[in-house]
């Protein structure tokens, strides 16, 4: 099928590459000309494992374009995958979505186009996008748009770091539309994924036991709400274990054992149950805020989701409080942060706890040193004003440090020579913000070990 994708970020590029790999003809459009230049040169503007490799395989079916003109006129499906960042009041900023919708209406010249909202958009956006597309089509072409467009919602559930795996072997595909023709087009598009009939790349093997992928075919509003409800649930699960972790610490319980003990109950499940400094990233904070803002429009409050947000905010403060309690004085101390990305295997720094924690430590008069295996370049580009010392290696972070805090649980950090790390520090103190390090081993090397909970 002929597919266009608007926005080549984490979601749009992953979607485009996967659909191209499956044999569809895909045009990826982005208003950022630097991204388009990189993509045309075979490079990816983001760090995502195996994306460069899969993009090379899909290359014959992919084209990249910096403008809408010439990229949409004969498409059968167009995905909107632009950012929907939070505004000051928590509701999503829909200006990119509206630009994309208008661009579609202006430049489509074919007979029938399915416009798919893949961006996470507030409930009701499907109808709004539809009206923008039709309005700009009518202005541009001087004729009625009736019957030419149908809007569908196809929320994205990929996790950065395993985005390709999640797109090729998803837990489910959700499609919301009130139009049967649009639904049929999207079933055809996703058929190879739904039936798992494609040959998986060698570096992204199909997990054992993966068979047909469940399809949730529903109305627009339900599909839109599924995305928000899923993210709010996952965020709440993390905050729940962090809340229990605070009590575990007081009563002398081991939160890892508690999490395992409850997680093995099949009704609960072990995933998203690791206590630590909490969630970050572009989705959970923004989407929980948007859910609360939507509920407010209907005079509803969402106390569970609001509490999850508050607990997450507090976890970041606890890092500073714990260091203060242990070191007594923070002014003049050197604190090393291991990890900047909001989670391992990505270079995404949006709402990363490391940024907040670095700011709080600087306010307290600390000298902050930082390292990340892949996010250093992005960090220096996006946070030029944050006065930290950027280090080339974790060992350099350890030099003369009074404490280290593990912020992102990169595998590289678990495997460090912690004996060497201890020898380079002023005092070997480690705050394991992800409860990911081997406490007994670190203590053998002379570390004082602080977990974030329990
Ligand atoms: N990142 C994730 O893990 C993830 C997961 C699920 C859903 N989502 C949702 O998907 C959407 C996209 O997220 P992302 O992380 O890929 O964002 P991103 O910021 O990485 O990418 C968005 C891209 O859209 C481009 N863009 C903006 N306005 C445009 C326009 N008018 N025309 C063409 N291109 C335009 C930007 O230049 C950018 O490259 C958001 O709504 C997000 O909430 C993200």
């Amino acid at each position: 099928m002929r597919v266009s994708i608007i926005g080549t970020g984490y979601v749009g590029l992953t979607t485009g590459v996967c659909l191209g790999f499956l044999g569809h003809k895909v045009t990826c459009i982005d208003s950022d000309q630097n991204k388009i230049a990189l993509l045309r040169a075979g490079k990816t503007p983001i760090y995502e494992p195996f994306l460069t490799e899969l993009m090379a395989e899909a290359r014959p079916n992919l084209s990249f374009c910096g403008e809408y003109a010439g990229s949409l006129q004969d498409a059968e499906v167009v995905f909107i995958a632009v950012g929907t960042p939070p505004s000051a009041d928590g509701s999503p900023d829909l200006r990119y979505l509206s630009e994309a919708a208008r661009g579609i209406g202006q430049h489509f010249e074919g007979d029938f186009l399915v416009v798919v909202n893949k961006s996470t958009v507030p409930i009701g956006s499907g109808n709004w996008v539809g009206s923008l597309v039709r309005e700009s089509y009518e202005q541009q072409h001087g004729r009625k748009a009736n019957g030419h467009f149908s809007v569908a919602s196809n929320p994205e559930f990929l996790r950065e770091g395993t985005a390709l795996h999640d797109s090729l072997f998803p837990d489910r595909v959700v499609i919301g539309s009130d139009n049967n023709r649009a639904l049929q087009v999207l079933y055809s598009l996703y058929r190879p994924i739904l039936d798992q009939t494609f040959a998986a790349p060698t570096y992204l093997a199909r997990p054992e036991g993966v068979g047909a992928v469940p399809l949730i075919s529903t109305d627009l509003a339900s599909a839109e709400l599924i995305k928000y409800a899923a993210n709010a649930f996952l965020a709440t699960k993390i905050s729940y274990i962090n809340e229990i972790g605070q009590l575990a610490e007081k009563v002398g319980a081991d939160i890892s054992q508690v999490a395992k003990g409850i997680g093995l109950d099949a009704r609960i499940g072990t995933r998203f149950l690791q206590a630590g400094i909490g969630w970050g990233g572009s989705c959970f904070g923004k989407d929980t805020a948007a859910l609360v803002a939507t509920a407010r429009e209907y005079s509803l409050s969402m106390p569970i989701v609001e509490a999850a947000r508050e607990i997450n905010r507090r976890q970041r403060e606890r890092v500073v409080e714990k260091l203060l309690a242990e070191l007594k004085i923070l002014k003049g101390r050197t604190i090393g942060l291991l990890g900047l990305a909001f989670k391992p295997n990505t270079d995404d720094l949006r709402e990363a706890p490391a940024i907040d924690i670095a700011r709080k430590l600087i306010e307290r008069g600390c000298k902050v040193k930082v390292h990340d295996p892949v996010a250093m370049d992005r960090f220096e580009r996006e946070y030029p004003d944050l006065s930290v010392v950027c280090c080339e290696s974790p060992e350099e972070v350890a030099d003369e440090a009074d404490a280290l805090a593990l912020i992102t649980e990169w595998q590289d950090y678990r495997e460090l020579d912690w004996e060497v790390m201890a020898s380079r520090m002023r005092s070997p103190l480690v705050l394991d913000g992800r409860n990911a390090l081997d406490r007994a081993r670190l203590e053998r090397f002379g570390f004082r070990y602080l977990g974030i909970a329990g």
Side-chain angles (χ1 to χ4, degrees):
M1 294 177 80
R2 292 181 305 280
V3 182
S4 296
I5 303 206
I6 304 182
T8 61
Y10 291 88
V11 167
L13 187 56
T14 301
T15 306
V17 167
C18 287
L19 292 176
F21 170 74
L22 295 174
H24 299 297
K25 291 281 172 204
V26 181
T27 306
C28 297
I29 307 163
D30 204 292
S31 48
D32 182 337
Q33 304 306 322
N34 293 330
K35 283 193 180 176
I36 294 298
L38 274 174
L39 289 163
R40 282 183 174 155
K43 295 180 187 146
T44 60
I46 53 171
Y47 174 85
E48 182 59 45
F50 306 119
L51 186 55
T52 316
E53 290 87 337
L54 199 68
M55 195 166 95
E57 282 199 53
R59 194 69 183 90
N61 288 332
L62 291 177
S63 57
F64 299 103
C65 207
E67 54 196 17
Y68 291 63
S71 315
L72 276 171
Q73 71 271 34
D74 62 347
E76 294 164 89
V77 182
V78 59
F79 282 91
I80 303 182
V82 298
T84 47
S87 323
D89 68 353
S91 62
D93 177 350
L94 299 179
R95 103 183 74 150
Y96 308 109
L97 185 71
S98 125
E99 277 169 22
R102 287 181 201 284
I104 292 168
Q106 261 170 30
H107 295 282
F108 180 65
E109 286 168 11
D111 173 49
F112 181 68
L113 180 65
V114 184
V115 180
V116 186
N117 271 338
K118 202 170 227 342
S119 296
T120 303
V121 293
I123 298 135
S125 298
N127 295 337
W128 181 64
V129 163
S131 71
L132 291 178
V133 170
R134 285 192 298 273
E135 193 182 285
S136 65
Y137 179 88
E138 288 171 8
Q139 274 169 7
Q140 179 72 24
H141 298 80
R143 56 178 182 269
K144 286 279 174 211
N146 288 349
H148 286 309
F149 301 98
S150 180
V151 177
S153 165
N154 172 220
E156 179 54 62
F157 301 100
L158 66 77
R159 298 160 297 172
E160 289 174 22
T162 51
L164 298 173
H165 172 279
D166 297 347
S167 298
L168 292 174
F169 315 113
D171 292 337
R172 78 296 207 189
V173 170
V174 175
I175 297 175
S177 170
D178 306 321
N179 179 306
N180 204 31
R181 187 169 171 197
L183 288 172
Q184 294 308 323
V185 169
L186 291 177
Y187 299 156
S188 306
L189 185 81
Y190 277 122
R191 184 59 56 210
I193 289 181
L194 293 169
D195 295 346
Q196 289 292 305
T197 45
F198 63 92
T202 46
Y203 44 87
L204 275 167
R206 178 173 287 108
E208 239 170 79
V210 168
V213 170
L215 169 71
I216 310 292
S217 177
T218 183
D219 58 277
L220 269 172
S222 303
E224 289 167 347
L225 184 53
I226 285 171
K227 175 62 193 174
Y228 281 107
N231 270 1
F233 187 86
L234 294 171
T236 303
K237 201 171 172 192
I238 296 174
S239 281
Y240 176 75
I241 198 65
N242 282 334
E243 185 172 84
I244 296 292
Q246 291 178 26
L247 183 61
E249 194 168 284
K250 296 283 182 211
V251 301
D254 178 341
I255 190 61
S256 307
Q257 291 297 311
V258 175
K260 196 169 172 190
I262 62 174
L264 286 173
D265 183 328
R267 292 169 302 177
I268 296 174
T270 49
R271 291 159 77 190
F272 282 75
L273 216 51
Q274 282 77 35
I277 52 184
W279 79 71
S282 67
C283 290
F284 284 3
K286 159 177 90 68
D287 294 350
T288 50
L291 192 58
V292 170
T294 302
R296 208 182 299 127
E297 286 174 21
Y298 294 86
S299 306
L300 275 180
S301 64
M302 293 230 139
I304 294 178
V305 182
E306 294 200 48
R309 289 173 55 75
E310 173 57 18
I311 289 165
N312 197 59
R313 192 188 59 73
R314 269 197 252 151
Q315 289 304 100
R316 298 179 183 194
E317 281 171 5
R318 297 184 77 224
V319 172
V320 180
E321 285 161 11
K322 285 200 152 219
L323 289 172
L324 180 65
E326 192 67 21
L327 293 168
K328 310 297 180 203
I329 290 170
L330 284 178
K331 232 182 241 2
R333 301 283 195 185
T334 299
I335 312 289
L337 302 185
L338 294 175
L340 290 168
F342 84 93
K343 67 172 182 179
N345 296 321
T346 180
D347 60 347
D348 197 343
L349 295 165
R350 290 176 287 185
E351 294 203 34
I355 309 296
D356 244 11
I357 292 166
R359 283 213 179 96
K360 289 184 203 303
L361 290 168
I362 294 165
E363 276 164 23
R364 296 276 193 153
C366 297
K367 172 179 168 184
V368 177
K369 298 169 83 178
V370 300
H371 174 265
D372 189 281
V374 305
M376 291 311 287
D377 288 349
R378 185 178 285 274
F379 174 74
E380 289 180 53
R381 259 196 333 270
E382 293 182 0
Y383 294 93
D385 300 331
L386 196 59
S387 60
V388 297
V389 181
C390 292
C391 298
E392 287 189 357
S393 67
E395 290 76 15
E396 199 183 321
V397 177
D399 281 339
E400 297 300 307
D402 294 290
L404 292 174
L406 180 81
I407 306 294
T408 317
E409 66 277 36
W410 284 96
Q411 191 58 27
D412 305 27
Y413 294 149
R414 295 180 207 254
E415 290 166 3
L416 279 175
D417 186 335
W418 284 95
E419 191 169 14
V420 169
M421 295 290 277
S423 71
R424 296 172 80 138
M425 295 176 67
R426 202 173 284 153
S427 64
L429 169 65
V430 68
L431 172 67
D432 183 358
R434 298 294 179 180
N435 294 332
L437 301 173
D438 181 344
R439 176 180 191 147
R441 189 164 152 257
L442 264 67
E443 286 180 342
R444 266 204 313 282
F445 299 140
F447 271 100
R448 275 176 297 146
Y449 174 97
L450 304 174
I452 195 73

